Amino acid sequence: SQELEQSPQSLIVQEGKNLTINCTSSKTLYGLYWYKQKYGEGLIFLMMLQKGGEEKSHEKITAKLDEKKQQSSLHITASQPSHAGIYLCGAGVLGSQGNLIFGKGTKLSVKP
Amino acid sequence: NAGVTQTPKFQVLKTGQSMTLQCAQDMNHNSMYWYRQDPGMGLRLIYYSASEGTTDKGEVPNGYNVSRLNKREFSLRLESAAPSQTSVYFCASSESWGRGYSPLHFGNGTRLTVT
């Protein structure tokens, strides 16, 4: 079973629109990470959340961690074509032996 | 500052051939990892090295071997390639291992096709 579920699987938005991507764990979280991947490239680390209620922002991207719900959300404000790519969440979860597991990713397309 | 460097970037093998994927990091990280990424499956951990001198199996280790050559380098070997090993392979490193408290830094990947 997939321990980290991302939703939606894909998203197409008009440039300038806001959007949210969710990542939900079926197990207790120890650290939640957001990455961005462009086709043919590696994963770029965006931000790390460790405590319940924690919120971090980088430019127009904000991520929050709801520890009770074992869920994180990634919100992009006023999307731009440069935001297009695949967003993956990764987390240390109970039972993962200290290693990160990853969601399957959310493919974001931004229409100019 | 190169970060994590993987070679080669692309490789085509025939079934039964062997090859080694190379990975080096220049961030003085203690832990290193090999993942594979397949459509619909996401990233899955093959092997990891929590610290120099140690290696352990991840979720999908069958058909692979690894060597932590020194603190900087971690290689992945396919002894007898199979079509099921067609994938994109990512090497990653982190400052420390355990409980997910240290972000992973990834290389750009090796695209392997086994015919």
Side-chain angles (χ1 to χ4, degrees):
Chain A
S1 64
Q2 186 66 25
E3 293 171 338
L4 276 185
E5 293 281 351
Q6 282 188 242
S7 61
Q9 289 185 341
S10 64
L11 195 53
I12 303 173
V13 299
Q14 200 69 39
E15 183 177 357
K17 295 293 185 185
N18 303 337
L19 64 107
T20 300
I21 298 169
N22 292 305
C23 175
T24 303
S25 173
S26 59
K27 297 184 178 180
T28 301
L29 290 170
Y30 300 113
L32 191 291
Y33 303 82
W34 283 100
Y35 290 85
K36 180 184 176 184
Q37 183 179 26
K38 289 195 170 182
Y39 180 76
E41 298 180 16
L43 282 71
I44 299 168
F45 171 64
L46 295 175
M47 55 192 88
M48 171 176 72
L49 304 165
Q50 289 184 298
K51 299 176 185 177
E54 189 173 9
E55 181 175 323
K56 287 190 177 177
S57 294
H58 176 69
E59 297 179 344
K60 294 185 178 180
I61 301 177
T62 300
K64 300 179 187 179
L65 180 62
D66 185 331
E67 203 168 56
K68 265 189 178 179
K69 291 183 181 179
Q70 296 178 170
Q71 182 179 64
S72 177
S73 60
L74 185 84
H75 184 76
I76 298 177
T77 304
S79 59
Q80 301 169 351
S82 60
H83 288 129
I86 300 172
Y87 289 82
L88 294 99
C89 63
V93 301
L94 184 67
S96 69
Q97 298 178 305
N99 291 305
L100 291 192
I101 62 170
F102 287 85
K104 293 183 180 179
T106 295
K107 184 178 179 182
L108 172 63
S109 301
V110 180
K111 286 182 162 181
Chain B
N1 188 352
V4 179
T5 303
Q6 291 182 236
T7 56
K9 291 186 179 180
F10 301 93
Q11 184 71 49
V12 178
L13 291 177
K14 293 185 178 178
T15 298
Q17 287 185 320
S18 62
M19 79 161 295
T20 300
L21 281 64
Q22 306 286 353
C23 175
Q25 52 91 8
D26 62 3
M27 295 174 282
N28 200 35
H29 283 170
N30 291 303
S31 306
M32 297 185 74
Y33 313 80
W34 279 104
Y35 283 86
R36 60 179 287 176
Q37 186 177 41
D38 302 290
M41 301 295 291
L43 278 163
R44 292 180 293 170
L45 182 65
I46 305 171
Y47 269 94
Y48 67 99
S49 171
S51 60
E52 186 179 357
T54 69
T55 60
D56 283 288
K57 295 177 181 179
E59 182 185 353
V60 288
N62 291 345
Y64 305 95
N65 284 302
V66 290
S67 296
R68 184 75 182 266
L69 304 169
N70 48 56
K71 191 172 184 179
R72 288 186 65 247
E73 298 172 288
F74 189 39
S75 63
L76 178 73
R77 183 159 177 85
L78 287 71
E79 290 291 351
S80 179
S84 61
Q85 294 178 305
T86 293
S87 187
V88 181
Y89 291 85
F90 287 101
C91 176
S93 69
S94 66
E95 198 171 302
S96 62
W97 176 84
R99 287 260 160 149
Y101 287 153
S102 182
L104 272 61
H105 297 266
F106 285 83
N108 283 335
T110 295
R111 279 144 192 84
L112 175 67
T113 302
V114 183
T115 60

